[in-house]
Amino acid sequence: MGEIEEESPASAADESTPLLSDQSPPKRSRSVRTKVPEVEVHLYKHGKGPIDVFRSGLGGWDQDQLEVRDILEKYGFKSVYAFTPGQGRGAPIRFNPKNGRSLLSYKDGSVVCIDGQVKDTLIKPITRIITGVTVITILIVLAMKETPDWVKKFNFSGGRFPPWILACVVIVFTRMRKRTRDFLEKRRQ
């Protein structure tokens, strides 16, 4: 009715050998390389330079937007402008605050000249303000021989603080609050 077949030792040995041997042919890896669109950027500072010439990759969905925020952070600029070496500064280069990419599109391989506006330091405006307040205070002291009664009436602290010290404290506090608010807004995004 039915036959029972026995396996030969050769066929049993074939089953015990692994299907994939260590001597398998090397695998070929396939990779696709696409060219990232780039522009050549000539960077100027206040119309002088170029201070740097570099290639920058374009980003965005269509790969045609300049990474403006990266340039601002790397070189310490507060804003950048289109620039023509013979004619000077043009319109500011606007960028999306969320992703830092330019609103205008650029072509692959083009040359872009940018003029940067350096960030204001905290020391420069404070020095100007303190100098102005000091000069005005000295002029008031020289013009008046005696402290007016209305100034003595508004002496809240009980001690005597020169008005220029109070003015400097208010100015420094206001500037630091603005800087802190700008810093926190950048971190929130």
Side-chain angles (χ1 to χ4, degrees), residues 68-85:
V68 177
R69 186 179 292 150
D70 294 342
I71 296 171
L72 293 175
E73 289 174 1
K74 182 176 179 183
Y75 294 98
F77 293 146
K78 69 177 177 181
S79 59
V80 289
Y81 298 86
F83 185 74
T84 306

Side-chain angles (χ1 to χ4, degrees), residues 169-184:
V169 168
V170 168
I171 291 166
V172 168
F173 175 74
T174 305
R175 294 283 297 178
M176 290 305 290
R177 193 182 76 197
K178 181 179 182 274
R179 298 264 178 161
T180 305
R181 183 179 30 193
D182 293 344
F183 176 76
L184 292 174

Side-chain angles (χ1 to χ4, degrees), residues 22-36:
D22 293 336
Q23 303 295 334
S24 63
K27 295 180 181 179
R28 290 188 208 171
S29 63
R30 290 187 181 185
S31 63
V32 176
R33 294 186 185 191
T34 58
K35 182 182 177 292
V36 176

Side-chain angles (χ1 to χ4, degrees), residues 98-119:
K98 291 184 179 180
N99 60 18
R101 295 187 188 116
S102 65
L103 296 178
L104 296 176
S105 59
Y106 295 89
K107 285 186 178 181
D108 182 26
S110 61
V111 176
V112 179
C113 294
I114 295 176
D115 189 18
Q117 181 70 31
V118 181
K119 287 183 182 177

Side-chain angles (χ1 to χ4, degrees), residues 6-180:
E6 281 188 33
E7 294 181 2
S8 66
S11 64
D14 289 340
E15 286 182 9
S16 66
T17 59
L19 295 176
L20 296 175
S21 67
D22 293 336
Q23 303 295 334
S24 63
K27 295 180 181 179
R28 290 188 208 171
S29 63
R30 290 187 181 185
S31 63
V32 176
R33 294 186 185 191
T34 58
K35 182 182 177 292
V36 176
E38 292 180 331
V39 293
E40 183 176 331
V41 178
H42 293 247
L43 190 64
Y44 294 80
K45 183 192 288 185
H46 292 293
K48 296 180 177 130
I51 60 168
D52 196 7
V53 176
F54 60 93
R55 298 194 68 75
S56 176
L58 297 173
W61 182 259
D62 294 330
Q63 298 287 305
D64 64 350
Q65 295 172 324
L66 186 64
E67 302 286 347
V68 177
R69 186 179 292 150
D70 294 342
I71 296 171
L72 293 175
E73 289 174 1
K74 182 176 179 183
Y75 294 98
F77 293 146
K78 69 177 177 181
S79 59
V80 289
Y81 298 86
F83 185 74
T84 306
Q87 297 176 349
R89 202 179 260 188
I93 297 176
R94 303 284 183 207
F95 61 96
N96 187 335
K98 291 184 179 180
N99 60 18
R101 295 187 188 116
S102 65
L103 296 178
L104 296 176
S105 59
Y106 295 89
K107 285 186 178 181
D108 182 26
S110 61
V111 176
V112 179
C113 294
I114 295 176
D115 189 18
Q117 181 70 31
V118 181
K119 287 183 182 177
D120 293 331
T121 62
L122 190 58
I123 295 172
K124 189 175 180 180
I126 289 176
T127 305
R128 285 184 181 170
I129 291 167
I130 289 174
T131 305
V133 169
T134 305
V135 168
I136 291 171
T137 304
I138 290 172
L139 290 175
I140 290 172
V141 169
L142 292 176
M144 302 182 82
K145 293 185 179 184
E146 219 178 286
T147 307
D149 291 334
W150 63 271
V151 173
K152 291 178 184 175
K153 181 179 166 185
F154 290 114
N155 191 1
F156 296 114
S157 64
R160 186 154 190 255
F161 286 105
W164 63 274
I165 290 178
L166 294 174
C168 289
V169 168
V170 168
I171 291 166
V172 168
F173 175 74
T174 305
R175 294 283 297 178
M176 290 305 290
R177 193 182 76 197
K178 181 179 182 274
R179 298 264 178 161
T180 305

